[in-house]
């Protein structure tokens, strides 16, 4: 790898170990083996590098979910859409439970968005792609088969659930709902039937 890639890998490690706000340029240099001046040369600033680290980490997390054994077979393991919804959420929840450092970093970043315009713009630019990826994951189709309107509407729904579950995992990790709990809640909300 070159300095640019080394810096990004170092920044991603620091994001998980120290968090977004507590990571310094010197931390990144120590984690990457690059020199301090290379941050400015390759990324312009430490903040720009950290924004890229957040985005790259999120993309990698999404790819790990999509590549999980059940996901590789397609989310359509069940013909029933609600059962498929439950099965997919169980896989997502497993990733949330096993990667608490990533989840903590993501939640920290969410809290910084109102005060950091550059971070908000960077995340806003990739948010539609994230929604598209979630729709593809839950429907068991390639990203290329997800239309823009589904990515916007359904992707936003999945992103809202995912964000809430990430926060819950940090507050009450032992009380997270299961995929079937979420499916039962969705059934009640959409049909009015008691659980």
């Amino acid at each position: 790898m070159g300095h640019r890639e080394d810096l990004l890998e170092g920044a991603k490690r620091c994001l998980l170990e120290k968090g977004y706000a507590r990571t310094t340029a010197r931390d990144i240099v120590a984690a990457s083996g690059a020199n301090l001046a290379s941050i400015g040369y390759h990324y312009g600033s430490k903040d720009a590098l950290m924004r890229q680290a957040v985005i790259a980490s999120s993309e990698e997390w999404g790819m790990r979910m999509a590549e999980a054994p059940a996901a590789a077979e397609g989310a359509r393991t069940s013909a029933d859409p609600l059962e498929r919804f439950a099965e997919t959420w169980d896989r997502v929840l497993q990733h949330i439970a096993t990667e608490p450092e990533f989840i903590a970093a993501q939640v920290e970043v969410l809290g910084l968005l109102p005060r950091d315009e550059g971070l908000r713009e960077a995340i806003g630019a990739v948010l539609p792609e994230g929604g598209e990826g979630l729709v593809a994951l839950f429907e068991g189709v390639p990203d290329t088969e997800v239309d823009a309107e589904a990515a916007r509407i359904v992707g936003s729904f999945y992103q809202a659930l995912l964000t809430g579950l990430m926060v819950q995992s940090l507050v009450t990790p032992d009380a997270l709902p299961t995929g079937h709990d979420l499916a039962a809640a969705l059934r009640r909300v959409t049909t009015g039937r008691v659980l």
Side-chain angles (χ1 to χ4, degrees):
M1 289 194 298
H3 282 294
R4 182 176 178 79
E5 295 82 11
D6 292 339
L7 286 166
L8 183 58
E9 289 304 312
K12 290 188 302 188
R13 276 194 304 280
C14 289
L15 180 66
L16 297 179
E17 294 169 8
K18 297 184 73 80
Y20 186 92
R22 290 183 48 218
T23 296
T24 66
R26 292 193 188 285
D27 294 329
I28 297 168
V29 167
S32 68
N35 61 59
L36 200 55
S38 62
I39 293 174
Y41 178 78
H42 289 290
Y43 290 93
S45 70
K46 188 258 317 182
D47 291 339
L49 171 54
M50 288 302 292
R51 288 191 292 266
Q52 187 59 43
V54 168
I55 291 166
S57 295
S58 297
E59 289 172 347
E60 290 166 7
W61 193 75
M63 287 190 298
R64 285 193 300 275
M65 279 196 306
E67 293 170 357
E73 298 164 11
R76 294 190 174 144
T77 54
S78 173
D80 176 40
L82 214 47
E83 184 62 27
R84 206 170 49 242
F85 176 89
E87 291 168 357
T88 306
W89 273 116
D90 279 335
R91 288 197 314 272
V92 172
L93 288 161
Q94 179 63 32
H95 281 275
I96 289 173
T98 59
E99 300 187 48
E101 295 86 6
F102 170 79
I103 301 305
Q106 293 298 303
V107 171
E108 176 195 2
V109 165
L110 293 174
L112 297 172
L113 293 176
R115 292 177 214 86
D116 188 330
E117 184 177 346
L119 184 58
R120 188 172 55 250
E121 288 174 0
I123 291 178
V126 297
L127 203 57
E129 184 180 328
E132 181 180 280
L134 284 168
V135 173
L137 176 69
F138 278 85
E139 293 183 359
V141 299
D143 291 4
T144 55
E145 290 185 26
V146 179
D147 65 83
E149 192 67 359
R152 185 181 73 80
I153 295 171
V154 181
S156 291
F157 170 73
Y158 287 134
Q159 286 170 332
L161 279 173
L162 180 60
T163 302
L165 290 165
M166 285 180 166
V167 172
Q168 284 183 21
S169 77
L170 296 176
V171 178
T172 55
D174 296 330
L176 279 177
T178 65
H180 285 87
D181 293 338
L182 294 171
L186 186 59
R187 184 180 304 110
R188 179 168 181 157
V189 168
T190 58
T191 67
R193 288 189 288 184
V194 177
L195 302 175

